[in-house]
Amino acid sequence: MTVNSKELYGNNWQQQMDRYEQIRKGFIETFGDDQNTAFFSAPGRTEIGGNHTDHNHGRVLAAAIDLDIVGMARKTDNGMARLRSVEYPRQDTVDTSDLSPRRESSGSQAIIRGICARCKELGYQIGGFECYTQTRVLKGSGLSSSAAFEILVVTVISHLYNGGNIDPVEAAKIAQYAENVYFGKPSGLLDQMAASVGSVTAMDFADPAKPVIEKVNFDLNAYKHALCVVDTGGNHADLTPDYAAIPQEMKAVAKHFGKEFLREVDEKTFYDSLVELRKSTNDRAVLRAMHFFDDDRLAHEEAEALKAGDFPRFLGMVRASGKSSHERLQNVFSSVHPEEQGITLALTISESLLQGRGACRVHGGGFAGTIQAYVPFDLLDDYRAGMEKVFGQGSCYVLTVRGCGGVKVEL
């Protein structure tokens, strides 16, 4: 898909053109000139409903956002994929003639190798390219900077070598494969799918090979609310075991019933078996399974409420989802570092500032990072000031929904 920059960025397009020019200069400094190049963009994403449900084949509601990663790229004939970013001056280099998994010197290098390998396995053309990137998707924010990067790389390969014909669903699966198999992170498909498809999207992963996707019209401005994320400044560096434990424990509960994923387990049978489950798994696994059943249902009902224009009902379900994440999923802080509770603190302050209106919840993977809040317009200035007083200037971001996923950009 190719999109004009004015269409992509709206009223902010001129400001973005200054950014694109800086990317062009960086490309020239790195690779010598800018002949035969093109620009590509992929968005971050915000999870609206379905917290940690996708990896057990559940339902989610998510949206692409206006914060994106942009890359300038061109095809080369030497078979070497070379990528450098503003944020990480070290250049990643992958020989596309040797795509076997290996211990990589950087995570992004592993992702590039995995994406090329999967594209080749699926019959797509691959080859060398040069790419220079700059991102506005906050690292460790729950906005999935990693998925945005992955979708950008797939988009580059799609347009440079395949006429832009890798469709958004396939692109998401390719990106997830690279993250799971080559990078070693056991993620579901939510992040990549939201970044690849765009807009507000309800997704059902009962069959991950054929996810059911439905675009949901949602104009938050019509309800006089802003969508905010607050970056609490938490460090994600050592949280992989915390993230991995959630799908592992949910699947342990499913295994008790001879199933692989909780989506395959009958909810009534689950509740009738709590005594046995506490013995065969553990209490936290049981609580996390309870969260799955409720949040899987809530993600679907949130989408239905938005389609029906019932915004108060939607906000009530956001609060219910947030309460379940806090009390049962237990992903608001790491049990290894209980003294660090930025998310819990942010939720507590947020509830006070919202005065019983709007809604707030943990955002994304949790344990550290961001919260999400729906803030009435008349409270927005005070809300932002109150959160930034505690978490720092610029920590509260007001997001807008982006209508497309990974695209080639015409200036």
Side-chain angles (χ1 to χ4, degrees):
M1 182 178 181
T2 301
V3 176
N4 183 275
S5 58
K6 289 185 179 180
E7 179 184 351
L8 185 62
Y9 296 110
N11 294 333
N12 295 322
W13 79 273
Q14 187 60 60
Q15 179 183 350
Q16 291 300 315
M17 292 307 94
D18 295 337
R19 174 186 173 213
Y20 273 59
E21 184 57 33
Q22 292 303 311
I23 295 170
R24 184 193 303 276
K25 290 179 180 178
F27 185 97
I28 293 171
E29 290 173 2
T30 303
F31 301 115
D33 59 61
D34 63 349
Q35 298 299 306
N36 302 313
T37 56
F39 284 107
F40 303 90
S41 165
R45 69 99 181 105
T46 184
E47 171 198 289
I48 298 173
N51 193 213
H52 280 282
T53 56
D54 59 326
H55 47 60
N56 267 262
H57 293 190
R59 290 168 287 189
V60 297
L61 184 64
I65 59 171
D66 55 330
L67 300 179
D68 66 343
I69 178 173
V70 171
M72 188 179 207
R74 67 180 167 201
K75 183 192 297 187
T76 61
D77 58 8
N78 60 7
M80 305 300 292
R82 302 166 62 201
L83 185 144
R84 185 178 177 185
S85 68
V86 173
E87 295 78 19
Y88 299 101
R90 175 176 176 168
Q91 183 174 289
D92 289 310
T93 302
V94 171
D95 184 349
T96 61
S97 67
D98 179 10
L99 297 173
S100 56
R102 64 188 65 183
R103 186 184 297 274
E104 301 281 12
S105 57
S106 78
S108 54
Q109 190 162 293
I111 293 296
I112 295 167
R113 189 182 305 279
I115 286 172
C116 290
R118 188 58 173 164
C119 285
K120 186 175 182 180
E121 289 175 6
L122 294 172
Y124 294 109
Q125 297 296 312
I126 64 167
F129 62 85
E130 296 170 333
C131 184
Y132 188 87
T133 72
Q134 189 272 338
T135 188
R136 295 172 64 235
V137 186
L138 312 174
K139 303 289 183 180
S141 64
L143 299 176
S144 200
S145 58
S146 58
F149 174 80
E150 292 157 9
I151 296 302
L152 178 77
V153 174
V154 179
T155 303
V156 167
I157 293 172
S158 177
H159 283 270
L160 294 186
Y161 284 98
N162 298 279
N165 290 324
I166 301 179
D167 70 74
V169 173
E170 192 71 82
K173 293 180 191 177
I174 291 169
Q176 185 203 24
Y177 174 90
E179 185 166 299
N180 290 175
V181 177
Y182 277 70
F183 184 60
K185 182 179 178 182
S187 66
L189 194 54
L190 162 62
D191 295 349
Q192 292 85 359
M193 192 69 78
S196 185
V197 172
S199 299
V200 177
T201 310
M203 310 172 201
D204 187 334
F205 296 115
D207 181 359
K210 298 179 181 178
V212 178
I213 298 171
E214 180 184 9
K215 295 281 184 80
V216 178
N217 291 325
F218 180 29
D219 181 8
L220 194 55
N221 288 331
Y223 300 108
K224 295 183 169 51
H225 277 67
L227 173 59
C228 298
V229 293
V230 179
D231 185 358
T232 68
N235 181 9
H236 286 240
D238 58 351
L239 295 176
T240 298
D242 291 289
Y243 295 132
I246 293 177
Q248 288 169 359
E249 291 181 2
M250 288 184 179
K251 289 174 183 177
V253 173
K255 186 178 180 181
H256 176 91
F257 299 99
K259 306 295 184 181
E260 187 175 359
F261 303 100
L262 277 179
R263 184 68 180 277
E264 302 167 346
V265 177
D266 177 73
E267 186 175 359
K268 182 179 185 304
T269 302
F270 162 78
Y271 276 100
D272 287 342
S273 306
L274 292 182
V275 175
E276 295 87 352
L277 277 170
R278 292 186 66 197
K279 296 175 182 177
S280 66
T281 58
N282 58 67
D283 287 344
R284 189 173 70 173
V286 170
L287 286 164
R288 284 174 164 171
M290 290 178 176
H291 166 83
F292 171 85
F293 287 116
D294 277 355
D295 231 41
D296 172 65
R297 183 167 45 250
L298 281 170
H300 172 71
E301 291 176 354
E302 285 172 353
E304 293 301 307
L306 292 179
K307 287 189 287 185
D310 193 343
F311 190 62
R313 181 166 171 258
F314 166 77
L315 289 178
M317 288 186 284
V318 171
R319 297 186 201 105
S321 174
K323 186 174 187 291
S324 181
S325 291
H326 193 163
E327 297 178 357
R328 294 185 288 184
L329 186 61
Q330 299 178 36
N331 67 332
V332 293
F333 65 90
S334 171
S335 59
V336 179
H337 298 289
E339 71 281 2
E340 298 178 13
Q341 297 201 30
I343 288 179
T344 313
L345 179 62
L347 290 170
T348 302
I349 297 170
S350 187
E351 288 172 354
S352 176
L353 292 170
L354 288 172
Q355 304 171 29
R357 301 166 64 193
C360 63
R361 64 191 285 269
V362 63
H363 182 246
F367 299 109
T370 59
I371 69 163
Q372 180 190 74
Y374 296 86
V375 184
F377 282 165
D378 61 299
L379 296 180
L380 182 57
D381 289 342
D382 288 343
Y383 180 85
R384 176 183 276 176
M387 299 307 287
E388 293 190 346
K389 181 179 180 180
V390 177
F391 297 103
Q393 191 70 28
S395 59
C396 181
Y397 297 81
V398 180
L399 304 177
T400 57
V401 174
R402 166 166 154 160
C404 58
V407 293
K408 181 179 179 180
V409 183
E410 290 185 347
L411 304 186

